Amino acid sequence: MTTGFSSGSCRFADYFVICGLDTESGLEPDELSGENFEQSPLRRTFKSKVLAHFPENVEWNPFDQDAVGMLCMPKGLAFRTQVDCREPQFHSFIITREDGSRTYGFALTFFEEVTSKQICSAMQTLYHMHNAEQYDILHTPTSPPGPEVQRHQHSQPRPVLHAAPAISRLQRFNSYDISRDTLYVSKCICLITPMAFPQACRKVLQQLHQAVSSPQPPPLPLESYIYNILYEVPMPPSGRSLKFSGVYGPVVCQRPSTSELPLFDFPISEMFNLLGVENILQLFTCALLEMQILLYSQHYQRLMTVAESITALMFPFQWQHVYVPILPASLLHFLDAPVPYLMGLHSNGQDDRTKLELPQEANLCFVDIDNHFIELPEELPQFPNKLEFIQEISEVLMSFDVSPEGNIHSSDSQAKYRGFRSVDMVSDKRNGNLASPLNSYLLRENETIARLQALVKRTGVSLEKDASSNKDARFQCDEEELKMHQLNIQVREVFANRFTQMFADYEVFVIQPSHDKESWFTNRDQMQNFDKASFLSDQPEPYLPFLSRFLETQMFASFIDSKILCHDDEEKEHTLRVFDSRVDKIRMLNVRTPTLRTSMYQKCTNIEEAAIEMRVAKIDHTALHPHLLDMKIGQGRYEQGFFPRLQSDVLSTGPTSNKWTKRSAPAQWRRRDRQKQHAEHLYLDNDQREKYIQEARNLGTTIRQPKLSNLSPSVIAQTNWKFVEGLLKECRNKTKRMLVEKMGREAVELGHGEVSITGVEENTLIASLCDLLERIWSHGLQVKQGKSALWSHLLTKYLLNLSACFFVCRHIQNISEIKTDVGKARAWVRLSMEKKLLSRHLKQLLSEHELTKKLYKRYAFLRCDDEKEQFLYHLLSFNAVDYFCFTNVFTTIMIPYHVVVVPSKKLGGSMFTANPWVCVSGELAETGVLQVPRNTLEITFECQNLGKLTTVQMGHDNTGLYAKWLVECVMVRNEITGHTYKFPCGRWLGKGVDDGSLERILVGELMTPSTENDERMCRTPPMQQSPGMMRRFVTISPNKLNTGQIQEGVGEAINGIVKHFHKPEKERGSLTLLLCGEYGLVWALEQVFQHGFKSPRLFKNVFIWDFLEKSQVYFESAEQREVTPDENWQTRVRHFCRFMRAINNTSRNIGKDGKFQMLVCLGARDHLLHHWIALLADCPITAQMYEDTALIKDRSLVNSLIRVLQTLQEFNITLEASLVKGELT
C-alpha cells in the first residue's frame, strides 16, 4: 500500500453541500413544483435553499447553486410530525453542462426537528386556514357539487362521512397541533464529484448522518471528515483501488483500467428487479433508436439507477440527446421538448397513469418503474436475436439469484409508507433512524417512552459493524458490494458482446474522407461516413428492421465520426479503443470472410472478473486519515439529531502542499485533464472532437440538459427558439437525405452507378419523417388531445370540413386495420407522400391561422411563420420522386379500384357483341376474373391491396354475331392512392383475326400524374421498361434490328433479371415486367426468331409459333424413326415437345404470340431455354424457314446466345399465376 499520489490525480469530491430550510426567509411555497394547494400543509412543498457549500468555488468545476439546489431536493422542503415516517433517503443526480461534460451529485435527505417557533407558528396558521376551507367543503349541501368541488374531489379522493358529526369530520384534517406535535423538516447533505462512485458516496453520507443521530459524538468533529473527503482523498488512479476513512468505518472504491469497460458503479441488478429482462430489452431498443424516454417513479434513486444503467449498457455508443434522469418539478415544461430525450419524472405518489398529462406520446417510451410496466411506441422493431439474448441475460441473472422476470413486489415496503402512519414505519438499522414501530397512540400520548425506545434502537449502532463483519476476509469490501460489481461486469459484457458480434466488420464500411480534415468538418452534413447499404446487404434479414433504423441515429454517426478522427490507438478515445480491441479478438477467433454474416447466436465468452477481485482483495492506495483541524474553540459542538453548522474558515481552503490537488497548474490544464477523464470513463469526446462532431452533427441536440441556473421567461424563450431551429435543420437534413437517396436509385435504373438505398432503408427514413412531424406538431401544444398531435389537428380541420385533405382523412378513418391515432397519422403521411400532396395538405392544414393560434402557444414551431414556410418548402421537394410508402406498408387493407377498357377509336368498338372480362394482378395479389359490362366497359371493385400493379389479363367469351374486338389499352386506377396504370394492348381479340387470341396478358406502366403546368421535376421511369434499352431501340423498327442490336437487347434483358435476383427478396418487385414487359426477355427472343424469318408471299400472318410447331412435328417424327444423335438430345426433345403439347392443349384462348410468351416463361423457369435454342438451331425446319443471314443460322452467334441464357440457371424463377394458370406447374 502507498500513501503518495501522482500529480495526475484529482480530488475524489469537489464540493460538500448542505440544503434545507432557511429560517430567516421562512416558509415560501414552491409554486414551480406544481403542488395542489388543496393538500394539507404537511403534504405541500416549500422552497429549499443551499445553506452552505464547501469550498466556495473550484476553477475546473464552477459551483452551480441553482442546479445543485434543485437536484438535491427536487421537490423542495418536506415537513413531517412524529407520527410520520422519517427514514433517510439517498439519491444521486447528474448535471450535464452545455459542452456535454458531466458532474455527479450524491445526496442524503433526512429530517431534523424544527426549533424555530416562527416556523411552527406559520405551519399552525396554515393548518387553521386549511381546516376552515375543509370545514366549508364538508358542510356543503348534498346537492350536486360545483366544478370547483368536483375538481377538488378529483385531486384529493376522500370519502365524505355524511353520518358523522361536523366536529369529527373537521378533526380528520387536523393533523398538526403546535401544542401536541413535534414538527420535522427535511435537510440534505450532498457530495459533488467529477466521477460516479455512488456506493462510496452513500457510505460517506450515511456515516455522517449516523454521527449526528448517534447518542455519542463522533471521534472527531464532522469538519475533519468533510475536510478529508474534499482535500485529502484523491480520485483512484485508473485500474487501481482506494481506501479512505469514513466516520465509523473504511470506504473502498475502485476504478477500471483502460482495457476494461468504463466505470459504472450503480447496482444494475436493481433495474432488473424493478422491470424484468423483457421490459429492459424493450427500453434498451427504444434508447438505441433515440426515442423519447420518460422514466416514472416515486423514488429518485430508481430514476437515476435505471437511466445510468441503460446508458451504460449502450457501450460503445453514447446517448447524444437531452439527458435528465431527475427532472425537477420546476422544469416540467421541458417535457414539451420536440427532441429525443431520456428524462426521469417523480410520480409524487400518483399511481394513475391516465392522469399524467404529457405533451407528446406518439414516439414516447413510458416506463413506470414502480409498477413494473412499460408503454412502447408503435412500430418498434425487434432487437436482433431477442429470444437468445434474453436467455443469455437470464442465465447470468439467475446465477446471482436475481429473477429474470423482476421482483414485482420489490416496492411493497415503500408502498406501505404512502399513508405516513406510525404503524407502517420500520427502523433503519444502517443509519440510526429515529423511526420506531410504536403505534401512533403511544407516540402521541407518551413521547418520553417513544424517545427511550428510539434510544434503545440507536444503541444498536453496532449492527452496522456486525453486518460489515459478514464478509470474505480476502476482500476489503462487503460481500454484497463485490457481488454487485461481479454482476455488473457480467451483464455489461453480455450486452457489449452483442454489439461486438453485430459490428465485428464495421471498419470495412467506414468511409474515410478523401480531402483534408478541415474540409470534412465544414461539409460534414453533406457527407456520408458509413456505407449503410453495403453493410445492411451483408446482414441477416431478421436484423434489418432494427439495424436500418439504428444506423440513422446520432449515436451511431458520432461513433463513426470518432473512428474517422482517430488514425492510431493513441488517438482513440477509451470507449473506441476498448471496443476495437474486442472486435479484433472476435475476428481472430472466428476465422471467416470479413463481410460474411450469419444469424447464428454467439454467447459472450469474454467475462473477466479477476481484475476487480484483485483490486478489492489488495488495496492499491490508502488516503490520509481524518485528523483534527485548527478550529475555533466552542464551535463544532455536537448536538444529537441536528447537523451542526460547519466552520467555513477551515473548510473553504485545502492544503497547499499536496501536489495532486493541482493548485499550481493553470485552470485550463486542470479542465483539460478533467475532460480527458470524462472521455475515458464517461463516454465523452475530448475538446476538439467534441467541438467538431457536435457542430457538424448538430441536429437540434445542442441542449443536453435544461439550464437550471436561470428560469426567466427570456431563457425559456431562448431554449424554445433553439428547439425551433433544431427542428428546421432536422427537417432540411431528412428531406435532403431522402431525396438524394431516392434520386440515386432512379439514377441506377437509368444506368448510372450502383443503388444506394434499399426498401428497408426507405421505410426507415419515412418512419423517421413521421416521427419528426409528430414532434413538430407536439411542440408548444396548448392542450393535448389523444396521443397524436398531428392526427388531432387533422381531425379538427376535418370536422370543420375546411381542408382539401378531407378525402385523405376519410380514407384513413375507413381503414379498420389501423386502430390508433398514431397509426392513422403515419398512414396519412404515407398516403399524402404517395399522392405527392404532403406539402400542399400541410399548408392547407396550417392556413387556418385562428385555429393554429387556438391550438398552439406563441413559441411553438407552427407559429414561427418563416420557419414554417421553409419547412413546407423542404417537404415540397418530395414531389420530385415517386413513393409507394403507403401501398407497400399497408398490404392487407381493402382498396377500391376502377377499371376502364379503352377500345380502338377506329375499329371494333360499337358492334362488339361478346362479354368481356379482366383479371388484375399486382405484386401482392390478383383479383380473379371480373366481368365487365359490355355497354360501359367500366367496373369499380374493392379487394385487398394488390400492391404495385403488374399485369392485366383480359379477354371475352366469343359470343354473339361480332366477337372481334380491337382494344387500345386498359386503364386501372387505385382510388385511394390515385395511382393510374396504363396497360397498352393495340391488338385484336377474336377468332380468325390477328393471332386468333381470345385473351391477352398486358403489362402495365404507371402513368405520370398531370399537374397544373403539365410538367414534373423528375419521375421514376416506367416500371416495365428497361430505360437503357429504351434509349437504344426507340428510333429503330423491330423488323430492322441488326444482329448486334439483337444481341445487346438479349443481354440487357438477361442483365435486368440477374440484377433482380441480386436485390434483397423484399426489394425485387415484379419479375413479370422483366420477362414480358417491353424490351423484356420475351421481346428480346422474339427479335432473335424474327431475324431472317422468311415471309410467305400469299399469307402474311405467319408467326414464330408456326415455326415452333413444325419443329415439334419434326422432332416427334425423328424420335419415332429413332434418329437420335445422343441421349441428351432425346431428353431435350422430350422436354420441348411436352411443353409445346401442354401449351397447345390449354383451355385458355390465347393466340400464337401468347403461346410463344408462355413457352419462353416456362423455359426460363425450368432453365431449358439454352437447350431449346441449341435444338432449334440444328433443326432442318430452320433451314427451310430462315434466310441464310438469319441469326439463328449463325453458329457463333447462337453459341453466344446460349452462353448468355445459361446465366439464368443459378436463379429460382417463380412465375406469376397469370402467366401459367392452368399450365405446367
Side-chain angles (χ1 to χ4, degrees), residues 30-322:
D30 191 357
E31 298 173 0
L32 292 174
S33 68
E35 287 289 348
N36 189 339
F37 282 92
E38 293 175 358
Q39 289 184 324
S40 63
L42 280 181
R43 299 296 168 257
R44 300 176 191 170
T45 58
F46 299 87
K47 284 185 181 178
S48 64
K49 292 189 178 178
V50 175
L51 303 179
H53 67 277
F54 309 102
E56 190 64 30
N57 199 50
V58 292
E59 296 176 55
W60 59 89
N61 183 11
F63 186 74
D64 189 338
Q65 182 160 314
D66 292 317
V68 172
M70 279 188 186
L71 294 169
C72 277
M73 306 183 82
K75 296 291 288 183
L77 294 174
F79 285 90
R80 300 285 183 266
T81 66
Q82 75 280 358
V83 301
D84 296 320
C85 174
R86 301 184 304 280
E87 183 183 7
Q89 295 291 332
F90 172 83
H91 79 273
S92 49
F93 58 85
I94 189 170
I95 299 174
T96 308
R97 296 184 184 80
E98 291 183 359
D99 65 352
S101 61
R102 294 178 177 181
T103 295
Y104 284 86
F106 302 95
L108 184 71
T109 304
F110 53 93
F111 285 88
E112 280 186 351
E113 183 178 338
V114 177
T115 57
S116 169
K117 292 183 179 179
Q118 291 86 352
I119 299 297
C120 293
S121 298
M123 181 62 69
Q124 181 75 80
T125 302
L126 287 173
Y127 258 99
H128 284 316
M129 295 169 61
H130 180 72
N131 288 344
E133 292 175 6
Q134 299 302 318
Y135 185 85
D136 292 340
I137 293 172
L138 288 172
H139 280 76
T140 303
T142 56
S143 59
E148 284 297 315
V149 179
Q150 287 179 340
R151 181 171 59 85
H152 168 75
Q153 290 174 349
H154 182 68
S155 61
Q156 290 290 111
R158 293 170 176 167
V160 178
L161 307 176
H162 296 289
I167 187 66
S168 65
R169 283 179 271 169
L170 179 60
Q171 285 176 345
R172 180 176 182 80
F173 304 98
N174 189 8
S175 58
Y176 174 68
D177 187 331
I178 194 170
S179 63
R180 185 184 62 197
D181 296 321
T182 305
L183 188 65
Y184 295 87
V185 66
S186 57
K187 179 175 275 191
C188 175
I189 53 176
C190 172
L191 283 174
I192 305 295
T193 65
M195 296 177 66
F197 291 101
Q199 306 306 318
C201 291
R202 182 197 287 261
K203 288 183 179 178
V204 170
L205 295 173
Q206 285 179 341
Q207 290 187 32
L208 285 172
H209 175 259
Q210 183 179 323
V212 299
S213 60
S214 172
Q216 298 297 324
L220 295 171
L222 292 189
E223 284 86 347
S224 294
Y225 300 103
I226 295 169
Y227 183 92
N228 180 251
I229 193 72
L230 286 178
Y231 301 112
E232 296 174 335
V233 176
M235 187 75 69
S238 179
R240 301 297 180 91
S241 55
L242 169 73
K243 181 166 73 173
F244 59 94
S245 299
V247 181
Y248 295 110
V251 179
V252 175
C253 61
Q254 54 88 31
R255 187 170 161 188
S257 67
T258 54
S259 62
E260 298 174 65
L261 291 175
L263 172 66
F264 179 75
D265 199 39
F266 290 84
I268 212 166
S269 60
E270 184 178 339
M271 179 178 71
F272 284 97
N273 267 327
L274 291 166
L275 293 172
V277 178
E278 177 78 28
N279 284 338
I280 286 172
L281 195 55
Q282 299 281 44
L283 170 59
F284 184 64
T285 305
C286 290
L288 290 172
L289 300 181
E290 296 183 337
M291 296 179 173
Q292 292 178 322
I293 298 172
L294 184 62
L295 308 176
Y296 192 63
S297 173
Q298 65 172 332
H299 302 278
Y300 293 115
Q301 186 58 16
R302 288 182 180 180
L303 296 173
M304 187 71 177
T305 299
V306 172
E308 285 291 288
S309 299
I310 283 294
T311 51
L313 293 177
M314 289 179 183
F315 173 88
F317 305 102
Q318 313 163 30
W319 180 261
Q320 298 288 321
H321 300 274
V322 175

Side-chain angles (χ1 to χ4, degrees), residues 512-582:
Q512 294 291 343
S514 55
H515 27 53
D516 62 280
K517 288 287 176 68
E518 208 59 47
S519 302
W520 182 77
F521 287 134
T522 306
N523 301 296
R524 185 64 195 85
D525 277 347
Q526 286 75 41
M527 302 175 67
Q528 292 295 316
N529 62 358
F530 194 75
D531 187 354
K532 297 171 185 174
S534 299
F535 177 81
L536 290 174
S537 68
D538 285 341
Q539 304 304 310
E541 189 172 338
Y543 289 17
L544 296 181
F546 170 80
L547 284 177
S548 62
R549 291 179 64 173
F550 180 67
L551 298 188
E552 298 296 326
T553 60
Q554 179 74 24
M555 70 175 71
F556 183 77
S558 297
F559 173 76
I560 299 299
D561 281 349
S562 64
K563 177 70 176 178
I564 291 173
L565 288 168
C566 302
H567 290 293
D568 51 49
D569 282 344
E570 290 184 4
E571 289 186 2
K572 287 181 183 177
E573 64 179 31
H574 172 244
T575 307
L576 185 61
R577 186 165 60 248
V578 173
F579 183 71
D580 281 353
S581 68
R582 287 161 186 254

